[in-house]
Amino acid sequence: MEVLKPVGRAFLTGGLLLLAAEAVRLILLAALGAESPFVIPLTLMIMCLFAVAIFPSGIYNKWTDYGFIGAMLPISGLTAGVAAAYCGARQATGSKAAGVKAGIMLVVRLSGSGLLVAFVVALIVSFVL
Amino acid sequence: MVILQLVQAFLVGGCLCALFQLIVTVTHWNPQYVLIGSISLGAILMPFGVMGILEAVGGAGAIATFMDAGAAFAGTLVAGFTAGNWMAFIIIFCVVVLQIPLGIFAGALYAKLHPQEFEGEFQAAETAPAEI
């Protein structure tokens, strides 16, 4: 039961955040048309701007405390993660530069590793095709 | 129809989050490594069509996750390598890179609105060398 509690919270938090993302995507699809290449990038950017808008109030931190991976796995979690890394480093060192560095390093670590794997997969797929 | 799409996004997104939360809860791995694993898993599953099925069923419930970022990287890189179309990769890459200034801006704004959380730590960091 103790294992299922955080899993249920992650399901609820992640599900609700991604339901909001789907609502944004459907609105953009209606506005721009299904053929527009900007629907997905704009959906992702609006999710990130949503995180920017609510992180300063401390609400996103509360969601992360409650839903944990449920708040981190949606793309808005990356923006909130960078903001949290900035705040954490700034609190620890008192330096804005250290905060900026921590934010950059988080994105480099997370997307860099994914990009590396994606690059290898893409090379293999391209070679097979 | 719209309601069904929203419910599907909620279920697919919720299930993905629950799956990775289960991994973190059971293994006690660092969540950052699990997120890296989710991006890599998305890239690895892309050629098998798994991410395509998740996107078709869940819409943004799958698309707006870290897992799909890996698949998007892999898919757009394949388009670049095979057809020479790098535009989609550049767009996705820019979206990821833009998270840095956006996140830092949000963090700076948080620091501005909650100065009391930073002053104590800042003073501790400033006085620490003097105590030594």
Side-chain angles (χ1 to χ4, degrees):
Chain A
M1 195 64 194
E2 282 303 306
V3 175
L4 290 179
K5 205 173 172 180
V7 173
R9 286 176 172 181
F11 177 83
L12 194 66
T13 312
L16 287 173
L17 275 171
L18 291 164
L19 185 145
E22 177 66 1
V24 170
R25 190 181 77 94
L26 291 175
I27 291 166
L28 288 173
L29 272 175
L32 302 175
E35 299 301 314
S36 173
F38 298 108
V39 171
I40 292 172
L42 276 176
T43 305
L44 300 180
M45 284 311 298
I46 288 171
M47 285 297 289
C48 298
L49 289 172
F50 170 70
V52 171
I54 61 166
F55 187 88
S57 66
I59 296 172
Y60 211 98
N61 283 342
K62 285 176 185 165
W63 283 351
T64 308
D65 290 343
Y66 180 78
F68 207 49
I69 294 291
M72 290 181 193
L73 195 70
I75 200 73
S76 53
L78 181 60
T79 317
V82 172
Y86 171 87
C87 291
R90 197 171 150 183
Q91 277 177 333
T93 61
S95 158
K96 286 180 186 173
V100 171
K101 191 181 166 191
I104 292 170
M105 286 314 292
L106 182 79
V107 174
V108 169
R109 263 200 308 274
L110 287 178
S111 347
S113 319
L115 194 56
L116 197 67
V117 175
F119 186 78
V120 173
V121 169
L123 270 183
I124 294 168
V125 171
S126 305
F127 184 73
V128 171
L129 283 174
Chain B
M1 187 63 184
V2 173
I3 299 290
L4 183 69
Q5 282 177 296
L6 292 174
V7 170
Q8 284 175 333
F10 175 76
L11 291 176
V12 170
C15 286
L16 286 175
C17 294
L19 175 73
F20 287 105
Q21 179 64 55
L22 187 66
I23 294 169
V24 171
T25 308
V26 172
T27 61
H28 298 288
W29 286 343
N30 187 330
Q32 225 177 75
Y33 297 141
V34 175
L35 290 177
I36 290 171
S38 76
I39 299 176
S40 306
L41 186 67
I44 292 165
L45 291 177
M46 186 279 297
F48 302 103
V50 177
M51 291 313 295
I53 294 168
L54 284 175
E55 287 169 15
V57 175
I63 292 166
T65 61
F66 266 99
M67 199 174 162
D68 201 68
F73 274 143
T76 52
L77 277 171
V78 169
F81 288 141
T82 55
N85 177 13
W86 292 99
M87 189 49 74
F89 175 75
I90 291 167
I91 289 173
I92 296 291
F93 189 77
C94 288
V95 168
V96 171
V97 171
L98 267 172
Q99 306 313 307
I100 299 172
L102 286 175
I104 290 169
F105 174 74
L109 211 56
Y110 182 89
K112 192 105 177 164
L113 292 173
H114 305 85
Q116 69 283 1
E117 284 184 29
F118 291 81
E119 277 167 8
E121 298 288 343
F122 179 63
Q123 281 164 4
E126 266 188 338
T127 51
E131 284 170 3
I132 295 165

